[in-house]
Amino acid sequence: MTSETISQTAARIFNVVLIKPTHYDDQGYPIQWFRSAIPSNTLACMYGLAQDAARRHILGDDVEIRLHTIDETNTRIRPQEIVEMMRETGGEGVICLVGVQSNQYPRAVDLARVFRAKNIQVAIGGFHVSGCFSMLPEIPPEIREAQELGVSLFAGESEAGRLDGFLGDAFARQLKPLYNYLDDLPSLEGEPLPILPRARVRRTMGKLSSLDFGRGCPYQCSFCTIINVQGRKSRYRNADDLERILRENQAQGVNRFFITDDNFARNSQWEQLFDRIIKLREEEGMTFGFTIQVDTLCHKIPNFIEKATRAGANRVFIGLENINPDNLIGANKRQNKITEYRAMLQKWREHGAHTAAGYILGFPADTKESILRDIEIIKRELPLDILEFFFLTPLPGSEDHKRALAQGVWMDPDLNKYDLNHRVTHHGKMSDAEWEDAYRSAWKAYYTDEHVKTVMRRSAVHGLRSIKSLTSKLLMFHLMIKYEGVHPLEGGALRMKFRTDRRPGMKLENPLIFYPRYGFKTIRNAIGYWLTIRKFRKFQQEVVEAPDRETYTDTAIAKQSAQEFEDMELYHATSGGEKALARKKRDETIRKDAHLHAAE
């Protein structure tokens, strides 16, 4: 637990404990690591807001707000220790379970139940609570359960002084059952900045922190919760805000960030933000590395990719989702044009950025055979580095979930499984077993030794630094799927398990069984890790020493030509692909005719 004292002389202490909960694995143990992969941006935002409130003495000059931050993905929570800490400092405070997604909601309620039994105030906020209040006509049972425990619920965002009001109510022990700000999305300009304490950042792999430049996305994807919680209008921090964030992090030795904006390419202020970062890099010698999220049409924005990479965006996550246009249209993701995929990916490559793409399995037209066919097409024809697979999941807060609920479609009642790594509904064409097998097979099909080497060879064309960075990312994905059984985005280094932290309702295991099994699996995985690392390093060495390292080419990275639209299976494997190609040809003909008429 990381804590910060703003004042040392106040007569009273009010503890604000910010907890980002994890969720349970299939055996009922919290998914925790010695070092986790991805930091929590909500924790960073809430810490920044609470730190600002403490410095302004919003509870009075005689009250010290003492902040504590816990990211449960890399820190064990001991509720009794937190209770004793509060009692030792006067017994005043509030537990805030922040950024709680649907799969983390059961864990959050389990923690809340323990604290409420000790008469400690608890609030839960995040996408599950906000999504349910945003989209559902009635309060779902799990939300009512929390209310019956006396837990306060927070829907929406905490900027614009809302956290001040909440903390004031908590200090007076008059928390409201519900704080609902969904209908009033705040501006982000001039707001306190998201930041994580250095001690918290050090608990992530690569000392990675998190921040957001803006919120909101203009699109209407039916599986998405973000548009219904953060809105479809872009809200953003200005360049001065951004510079303050970067300088404050740089001062504590943090310069690598995961930018959580769902679609940075649609932030109307992207150019001013990138220009400010470029100025800091090129005029002051500051160094930054960013992972950003963009859409598949970002390359159409003049100078976007050029300025993004100059600013330090070296890894890019793209919502590819599928290569069958019929599936994309069915999910209301009409902005994705498969005829633009290669141009977009190649442009990122030309500017030195590695690309990762999300790919959803389980659209209505999918079968196991079509899924595996499409993965082979991607491997052969698209210059992607990392491919991340997800079950199509009706997440609470999405249009898909709202529709399924209204239609009485079966959905798994255990929210812990809503992590996009578990099947939680049935499929129209595949049996449950077939769908689950297709998901497992997809990972195996993409991350074969042969394709891993191919991806390395493509990256090595751009230099040795590029391939070394990519190899570590490929390793992470391979190891998490093969040995840990969790999605790589939930992964980390050295899995931690604690016998007594098992999910309530599941029997505590005998110590003589639990500890030997945990120790054996840890050792077995360590051996598997070592062998895999040796293998990948060998692949990397072979690629580095290849005589054609700088001249290597293949179908995916070959220069674009008109002929590719006739030859590539990407455009001919599905009827949707054929239609997309026909639309592209028709549009090009219209543009040429318009150009000729203009010239005349």
Side-chain angles (χ1 to χ4, degrees):
M1 180 166 65
T2 301
S3 62
E4 178 181 333
T5 299
I6 304 300
S7 168
Q8 297 288 345
T9 59
R12 299 173 67 182
I13 294 172
F14 188 74
N15 294 285
V16 178
V17 184
L18 305 173
I19 299 176
K20 170 63 175 178
T22 185
H23 79 116
Y24 300 106
D25 63 17
D26 291 341
Q27 288 73 48
Y29 294 100
I31 299 176
Q32 295 173 321
W33 308 90
F34 178 67
R35 293 287 184 269
S36 58
I38 298 178
S40 167
N41 186 63
T42 302
L43 195 61
C45 289
M46 293 299 297
Y47 181 76
L49 289 167
Q51 186 182 59
D52 176 73
R55 288 174 177 166
R56 289 185 288 109
H57 302 287
I58 64 161
L59 302 182
D61 291 338
D62 63 335
V63 179
E64 172 193 319
I65 296 179
R66 189 169 292 180
L67 305 179
H68 314 267
T69 58
I70 306 175
D71 186 339
E72 198 184 13
T73 64
N74 53 45
T75 305
R76 187 188 184 191
I77 293 178
R78 295 176 172 87
Q80 188 56 39
E81 290 186 6
I82 295 174
V83 171
E84 291 173 1
M85 175 272 295
M86 283 190 166
R87 287 175 177 169
E88 288 172 1
T89 57
E92 295 184 291
V94 61
I95 306 291
C96 301
L97 295 153
V98 305
V100 180
Q101 301 170 10
S102 292
N103 67 91
Q104 298 155 351
Y105 188 82
R107 174 63 176 168
V109 173
D110 289 340
L111 289 170
R113 186 178 291 107
V114 175
F115 291 118
R116 290 299 300 139
K118 302 294 183 179
N119 199 33
I120 292 177
Q121 300 177 103
V122 179
I124 297 177
F127 266 83
H128 184 72
V129 170
S130 297
C132 287
F133 279 103
S134 172
M135 296 295 286
L136 301 183
E138 297 180 0
I139 300 175
E142 73 275 2
I143 299 289
R144 289 200 300 270
E145 178 189 9
Q147 291 179 319
E148 290 167 0
L149 289 171
V151 173
S152 179
L153 301 173
F154 198 103
E157 300 172 10
S158 301
E159 285 83 5
R162 294 162 185 174
L163 184 62
D164 290 4
F166 170 83
L167 293 177
D169 290 350
F171 184 64
R173 293 197 67 86
Q174 294 179 355
L175 280 180
K176 300 172 185 175
L178 173 65
Y179 294 81
N180 189 342
Y181 297 106
L182 288 166
D183 293 333
D184 185 16
L185 298 175
S187 168
L188 300 180
E189 292 188 70
E191 287 291 332
L193 308 173
I195 190 166
L196 288 171
R198 178 176 172 79
R200 177 56 53 207
V201 175
R202 292 177 64 182
R203 301 292 298 179
T204 61
M205 297 172 64
K207 298 178 181 178
L208 180 70
S209 192
S210 175
L211 55 89
D212 57 2
F213 288 169
R215 299 173 194 162
C217 178
Y219 297 126
Q220 302 181 63
C221 308
S222 65
F223 52 78
C224 182
T225 62
I226 290 173
I227 56 176
N228 301 315
V229 173
Q230 295 187 343
R232 293 179 54 212
K233 181 180 179 181
S234 178
R235 294 169 291 128
Y236 48 83
R237 304 186 191 277
N238 61 37
D240 290 338
D241 295 336
L242 168 62
E243 182 173 337
R244 286 191 294 131
I245 295 174
L246 297 180
R247 288 190 183 280
E248 192 167 343
N249 275 284
Q250 190 95 350
Q252 62 175 3
V254 178
N255 61 4
R256 296 183 63 245
F257 305 93
F258 180 80
I259 309 302
T260 61
D261 300 38
D262 186 58
N263 188 351
F264 192 76
R266 300 306 141 188
N267 185 322
S268 60
Q269 301 298 305
W270 67 265
E271 191 162 24
Q272 294 94 314
L273 297 172
F274 282 151
D275 283 344
R276 184 65 63 90
I277 301 172
I278 291 169
K279 181 179 179 181
L280 294 175
R281 286 169 60 93
E282 297 181 356
E283 295 185 8
E284 298 190 30
M286 298 174 73
T287 58
F288 305 107
F290 300 101
T291 297
I292 64 173
Q293 303 179 101
V294 297
D295 58 42
T296 59
L297 294 176
C298 59
H299 64 299
K300 293 285 192 178
I301 304 173
N303 294 321
F304 179 83
I305 290 179
E306 290 82 354
K307 290 198 172 185
T309 49
R310 276 182 66 193
N314 48 29
R315 290 180 179 172
V316 184
F317 179 85
I318 303 150
L320 202 72
E321 315 308 7
N322 211 265
I323 63 169
N324 184 341
D326 290 337
N327 284 338
L328 296 170
I329 291 172
N332 212 20
K333 199 173 181 72
R334 299 173 184 272
Q335 69 271 21
N336 277 25
K337 312 294 185 185
I338 69 165
T339 51
E340 296 291 341
Y341 284 1
R342 272 174 50 77
M344 178 268 301
L345 292 168
Q346 287 197 353
K347 192 167 184 179
W348 281 113
R349 286 181 55 81
E350 290 166 4
H351 288 81
H354 291 141
T355 54
Y359 200 83
I360 297 175
L361 307 178
F363 285 114
D366 282 343
T367 64
K368 180 182 177 181
E369 293 73 22
S370 71
I371 287 170
L372 296 180
R373 176 204 66 203
D374 291 348
I375 291 170
E376 293 305 316
I377 293 173
I378 291 171
K379 288 164 61 177
R380 185 171 58 252
E381 299 180 358
L382 292 180
L384 264 172
D385 297 315
I386 301 292
L387 197 57
E388 304 173 11
F389 298 103
F390 306 97
F391 277 102
L392 181 62
T393 302
L395 290 172
S398 69
E399 185 64 37
D400 284 352
H401 178 267
K402 180 180 180 179
R403 186 186 308 118
L405 195 65
Q407 295 174 353
V409 173
W410 179 84
M411 293 180 283
D412 198 304
D414 186 2
L415 288 170
N416 188 69
K417 295 179 180 178
Y418 285 66
D419 57 358
L420 312 184
N421 196 36
H422 289 80
R423 177 194 58 78
V424 298
T425 189
H426 303 309
H427 191 269
K429 289 187 175 181
M430 294 181 281
S431 68
D432 294 348
E434 287 173 331
W435 193 5
E436 291 168 353
D437 184 52
Y439 180 78
R440 292 188 295 267
S441 298
W443 286 104
K444 293 178 182 177
Y446 189 80
Y447 291 94
T448 63
D449 288 352
E450 181 181 1
H451 190 60
V452 164
K453 285 189 283 187
T454 296
V455 172
M456 288 181 179
R457 296 204 73 186
R458 293 171 181 169
S459 182
V461 173
H462 295 283
L464 299 182
R465 183 178 179 183
S466 178
I467 187 177
K468 289 179 181 178
S469 174
L470 178 61
T471 299
S472 65
K473 195 70 173 178
L474 289 166
L475 260 172
M476 175 69 176
F477 273 69
H478 189 86
L479 295 174
M480 292 302 103
I481 290 296
K482 184 172 183 179
Y483 295 105
E484 300 293 354
V486 301
H487 196 283
L489 297 183
E490 291 188 316
L494 187 58
R495 177 70 195 275
M496 299 190 299
K497 285 188 178 183
F498 302 94
R499 185 181 71 91
T500 56
D501 289 353
R502 200 173 197 187
R503 188 177 187 181
M506 301 183 77
K507 184 179 178 181
L508 284 183
E509 295 185 275
N510 187 309
L512 298 178
I513 296 174
F514 174 83
Y515 291 108
R517 184 172 60 206
Y518 173 49
F520 173 76
K521 185 173 182 179
T522 300
I523 294 171
R524 185 189 65 184
N525 285 359
I527 293 171
Y529 277 31
W530 179 69
L531 293 173
T532 305
I533 291 170
R534 284 189 61 190
K535 179 172 68 174
F536 275 46
R537 285 180 176 171
K538 182 180 178 182
F539 292 166
Q540 179 180 299
Q541 191 64 27
E542 290 174 358
V543 170
V544 168
E545 295 177 353
D548 64 341
R549 189 193 80 203
E550 296 180 355
T551 59
Y552 170 81
T553 189
D554 59 26
T555 301
I557 64 175
K559 187 176 180 180
Q560 285 196 291
S561 68
Q563 188 59 34
E564 74 180 48
F565 293 104
E566 306 303 328
D567 297 341
M568 287 190 173
E569 197 173 354
L570 176 66
Y571 310 115
H572 302 287
T574 64
S575 60
E578 294 276 10
K579 293 175 184 175
L581 181 56
R583 283 194 298 271
K584 179 179 178 62
K585 291 179 177 179
R586 183 177 66 248
D587 291 344
E588 287 181 349
T589 299
I590 293 172
R591 280 196 298 270
K592 287 179 181 178
D593 290 345
H595 180 72
L596 287 174
H597 287 308
E600 292 174 356

